[in-house]
């Protein structure tokens, strides 16, 4: 899968909803009901971060939930890419981008949302054929105002900003024409997961799914 093909698929996934939940799952028992709650609320694209021991098993469990499109976040190595694809991930997300990560995703046929934070990084990925990128860490790197500025000289690149984004400020990003969606963890608060409050998660997802895009 070429970078151009990866970006086409990444754009398709990003357009499924205005918000992609960024999920840290510590208890495998939470995986399936969490996926069902988010999909029921209108957020089908789900990013499971590979930060916990059960992350790959969570991807497997969530991939079986009807309507969900599950991806793996925090890809750091080629081994992560292979493991994520084997677990059922339909897309991958990285905080940055290295030649090995890019090559591994091409070899595995895993659509990649590569991370960038500066104009040079964005341009380097664009030269490789990546027209859809993750902007990370969004708020810390300059926020919506920064992306608005970048959008003028680089209108060919579309973004999924992630990092520090909340329901309150998500509209600032989504108002920009270069934003396909935003990544956020607020739709799956840790206390709701711990208490099995899936109706709360669905309500938060529904609220997020109704955010307007440019």
């Amino acid at each position: 899968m070429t970078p151009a093909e990866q970006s086409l698929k990444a754009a398709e996934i990003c357009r499924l909803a205005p918000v992609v939940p960024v999920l840290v799952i510590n208890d495998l028992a939470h995986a399936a009901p969490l996926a069902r709650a988010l999909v029921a609320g209108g957020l089908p694209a789900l990013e499971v971060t590979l930060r916990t021991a059960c992350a790959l098993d969570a991807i497997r469990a969530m991939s079986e939930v009807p309507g969900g499109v599950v991806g793996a976040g925090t890809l750091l190595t080629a081994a992560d890419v292979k493991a994520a694809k084997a677990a059922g991930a339909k897309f991958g997300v990285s905080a940055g981008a290295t030649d090995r990560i890019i090559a591994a995703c091409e070899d595995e046929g895993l659509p990649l949302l590569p991370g960038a934070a500066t104009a040079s990084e964005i341009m380097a990925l664009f030269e490789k054929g990546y027209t859809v990128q993750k902007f990370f860490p969004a708020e810390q790197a300059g926020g919506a105002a920064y992306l608005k500025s970048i959008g003028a000289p680089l209108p060919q690149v579309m973004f999924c900003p992630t990092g520090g984004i909340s329901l309150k400020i998500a509209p600032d990003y989504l108002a920009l024409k270069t934003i396909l969606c935003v990544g956020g963890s607020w739709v799956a608060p840790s206390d709701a997961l711990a208490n099995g409050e899936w109706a709360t998660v669905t309500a938060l997802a529904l609220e997020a799914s109704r955010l307007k895009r440019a």
Side-chain angles (χ1 to χ4, degrees):
M1 182 177 280
T2 67
E5 291 170 336
Q6 290 186 54
S7 284
L8 283 173
K9 186 61 179 178
E12 178 184 316
I13 293 169
C14 286
R15 289 191 175 101
L16 291 174
V19 177
V20 174
V22 179
L23 309 169
V24 179
I25 300 176
N26 293 288
D27 186 340
L28 182 58
H30 295 160
L34 174 59
R36 286 193 291 268
L38 291 166
V39 171
L43 302 182
L46 312 172
E47 178 189 338
V48 178
T49 61
L50 302 182
R51 302 178 193 173
T52 64
C54 69
L56 290 171
D57 287 332
I59 290 173
R60 290 189 184 92
M62 297 173 83
S63 294
E64 296 179 359
V65 174
V69 180
V70 185
T74 329
L75 296 175
L76 296 176
T77 67
D80 287 341
V81 175
K82 291 182 179 180
K85 182 67 181 295
K90 300 301 183 185
F91 65 97
V93 184
S94 62
T98 66
D99 289 340
R100 288 186 178 181
I101 287 287
I102 289 172
C105 287
E106 290 179 3
D107 291 343
E108 292 294 323
L110 185 69
L112 175 66
L113 197 60
T118 67
S120 293
E121 291 171 350
I122 293 166
M123 290 172 65
L125 285 169
F126 178 65
E127 283 185 354
K128 292 179 183 291
Y130 287 94
T131 55
V132 179
Q133 303 175 19
K134 170 181 176 174
F135 178 62
F136 176 84
E139 278 296 285
Q140 295 81 354
Y146 177 92
L147 280 174
K148 183 177 181 180
S149 298
I150 285 292
L154 296 169
Q156 304 93 331
V157 181
M158 305 296 286
F159 297 97
C160 170
T162 303
I165 298 176
S166 64
L167 177 66
K168 181 179 179 180
I169 63 175
D172 296 339
Y173 289 92
L174 294 170
L176 304 178
K177 293 183 179 180
T178 56
I179 305 302
L180 291 173
C181 63
V182 301
S185 60
W186 81 85
V187 293
S190 57
D191 56 343
L193 270 63
N195 297 320
E197 297 172 354
W198 309 121
T200 296
V201 172
T202 295
L204 291 170
L206 184 61
E207 186 178 33
S209 73
R210 290 172 173 168
L211 291 172
K212 302 298 183 182
R213 287 181 277 199

